[in-house]
Amino acid sequence: MATTAYMIRHFGVISVGKFSAVFGLIWGFLMGIPLAAGLGGMGSVMNAQALGIGTGIVGLVLMIIIGGVGGFIGGAIMAIVYNLVLGATGGIEMDIEVKP
């Protein structure tokens, strides 16, 4: 099978930020579930079930938002630093195999 060599010289900051934001949203959802359960349980312990459920839902939503925003910012910073390193080292060489 034939392989073709390509060189990565630059990453799009916004593109990497958006890609990382999607992972941040998923992470925020997965981390928000135990947070919501814990906050809901605290409301039940304090005999304020409605307050606990509401606080749990707010906690879940905030974790999703924080994960998305944090993922975007982290991805953008990573792309900026990566572009600086790629500029100093000349890029990353990749061999890509062509499927028949």
Side-chain angles (χ1 to χ4, degrees):
M1 292 191 207
T3 61
T4 306
Y6 289 97
M7 182 76 71
I8 298 175
R9 297 193 186 274
H10 177 79
F11 283 106
V13 175
I14 301 297
S15 177
V16 174
K18 288 190 291 187
F19 183 78
S20 298
V22 172
F23 281 105
L25 290 170
I26 295 168
W27 176 85
F29 178 73
L30 293 176
M31 294 298 110
I33 291 173
L35 175 69
L39 292 173
M42 284 183 4
S44 140
V45 168
M46 298 182 334
N47 283 332
Q49 286 82 8
L51 180 64
I53 291 170
T55 306
I57 292 170
V58 169
L60 175 64
V61 170
L62 284 176
M63 283 300 291
I64 292 170
I65 292 170
I66 290 169
V69 171
F72 180 82
I73 292 170
I77 291 171
M78 180 181 68
I80 290 169
V81 170
Y82 213 75
N83 286 337
L84 292 173
V85 171
L86 286 176
T89 60
I92 297 174
E93 186 173 328
M94 296 176 61
D95 288 331
I96 297 175
E97 184 175 310
V98 178
K99 287 182 99 176

